[in-house]
Amino acid sequence: MTSSAHRNELGEFLKARRGELTPRAVGLPDSGAPRRVKGLRREEVAQLAAISTDYYTRLEQGRMQASASVLEVLARVLHLDDDQRAYLYELAGKDHARPRRRARQRVQPQLRRLLDDLGSTPAMVLGRRVDILAWNTLAAALVTDFAAIPEKRRNYARILFTDPAMKRLYADWETVARTCVAQLRMEAAKYPTDPGLTELVGELSVQDRQFRQWWGEHRVATRNVGTKTLRHPVVGDLTLDWDTLTASTDPDQQLVIWTAEAGSPSHDALRVLASWAADHSGSAVNS
């Protein structure tokens, strides 16, 4: 149940948002004559939302609660962005329905600079569907030349299952791959109507028997921390710890970093690989 204070704030929020819109902006005829109120009238919002003016008036006056379906329509009618939509649902005490269409993910410049500054630490940014959004030079030297992969195909799961070099790189490829499938399953629970994820799962299910089998097991996992052993063609075996940090600007972007204990053979191997990468920047190591 929402408090009267929340209902009053919701009403004020709706009033403020309709005050920012013009009839022309929402597809209504505009005679150009002076209007008594700024923005849209209550009856115009009600008309666009296919609800009665009385119902909408009571919402603005804090005298009733809105259903989730009405909130969704009002969010569309009032042209709310994602943050405003989330705030609307919060005030109404409803679970925030994620928009079906999400904007293309972009990595903030600050995060890109951080990647570049991590000269001795492999790091990459993974997004929805484990898409590879950004990486530093050492990550490319450690895993593969991501820049050589077309942007629309640049996905960690796709690379794991379609690039034979990945099975040579990971000492325990099966565990790595099964974990990746379980992470995709978690993504599917969050975004069940995501067409990009549906396309990816369909493609890999057709191409790879193991993916098809593991997807059918319905195991789930989140990205957090772990350890991987790699058999690198340049510096040999490495055992690296990995950790994930969530971007504050987009919870569906995670910075994945790979580290080794100082003084360990794997740490020394990373330093050698960093030096090698500086001399061979842009060339693939797993071709």
Side-chain angles (χ1 to χ4, degrees):
M1 296 290 289
T2 57
S3 67
S4 59
H6 274 74
R7 289 197 297 271
N8 290 336
E9 176 59 25
L10 185 145
E12 292 298 318
F13 181 67
L14 291 173
K15 183 178 180 180
R17 297 290 74 77
R18 70 178 171 89
E20 295 175 342
L21 296 173
T22 63
R24 182 173 298 176
V26 296
L28 292 176
D30 186 0
S31 65
R35 299 169 67 88
R36 290 191 306 162
V37 296
K38 179 184 178 182
L40 298 179
R41 303 184 182 99
R42 285 174 176 169
E43 57 266 28
E44 290 172 330
V45 175
Q47 174 188 343
L48 292 167
I51 58 178
S52 70
T53 301
D54 179 66
Y55 182 98
Y56 180 76
T57 299
R58 283 185 287 162
L59 281 179
E60 274 203 6
Q61 293 175 345
R63 294 191 288 124
M64 72 175 300
Q65 296 185 53
S67 66
S69 59
V70 169
L71 291 175
E72 182 64 26
V73 173
L74 288 175
R76 174 178 52 80
V77 167
L78 296 174
H79 295 192
L80 302 187
D81 61 26
D82 288 352
D83 289 342
Q84 291 169 336
R85 182 189 297 261
Y87 183 63
L88 179 71
Y89 274 77
E90 181 69 24
L91 290 176
K94 306 292 185 182
D95 290 335
H96 176 210
R98 297 177 183 271
R100 292 182 180 179
R101 293 183 180 180
R102 288 172 295 278
R104 177 183 174 186
Q105 289 182 291
R106 297 186 182 278
V107 178
Q108 293 294 316
Q110 302 93 315
L111 190 50
R112 289 188 180 275
R113 289 196 294 269
L114 175 61
L115 284 174
D116 292 338
D117 286 344
L118 294 174
S120 61
T121 301
M124 68 180 76
V125 178
L126 297 181
R128 292 188 296 267
R129 305 179 294 268
V130 293
D131 286 341
I132 300 166
L133 304 179
W135 61 92
N136 63 8
T137 300
L138 191 50
L142 179 69
V143 182
T144 194
D145 183 9
F146 299 117
I149 303 170
E151 184 176 358
K152 291 184 178 181
R153 307 280 301 170
R154 207 175 285 151
N155 176 275
Y156 189 66
R158 181 179 284 114
I159 294 171
L160 269 180
F161 282 93
T162 62
D163 186 349
M166 293 298 100
K167 291 189 177 182
R168 300 192 298 269
L169 178 66
Y170 290 108
D172 188 0
W173 176 87
E174 180 171 329
T175 296
V176 173
R178 289 176 73 109
T179 299
C180 186
V181 173
Q183 291 169 352
L184 279 181
R185 263 292 175 193
M186 186 68 78
E187 291 273 327
K190 291 169 61 179
Y191 305 112
T193 60
D194 180 1
L197 180 57
T198 301
E199 179 182 348
L200 175 66
V201 171
E203 173 192 330
L204 295 180
S205 295
V206 170
Q207 293 184 4
D208 193 278
R209 175 188 58 80
Q210 288 175 300
F211 180 92
R212 184 168 59 250
Q213 174 188 338
W214 297 337
W215 182 258
E217 292 176 356
H218 292 264
R219 298 181 185 275
V220 295
T222 56
R223 289 195 295 272
N224 40 52
V225 297
T227 301
K228 292 179 180 177
T229 299
L230 296 85
R231 295 169 176 165
H232 197 273
V234 174
V235 296
D237 291 356
L238 307 92
T239 298
L240 302 175
D241 299 319
W242 60 273
D243 200 350
T244 55
L245 304 172
T246 301
S248 60
T249 55
D250 181 355
D252 287 330
Q253 288 187 35
Q254 291 187 312
L255 173 67
V256 181
I257 56 175
W258 308 48
T259 61
E261 186 177 355
S264 67
S266 294
H267 183 262
D268 294 340
L270 276 183
R271 292 171 66 90
V272 172
L273 184 60
S275 178
W276 180 92
D279 295 333
H280 298 79
S281 180
S283 59
V285 299
N286 290 317
S287 57

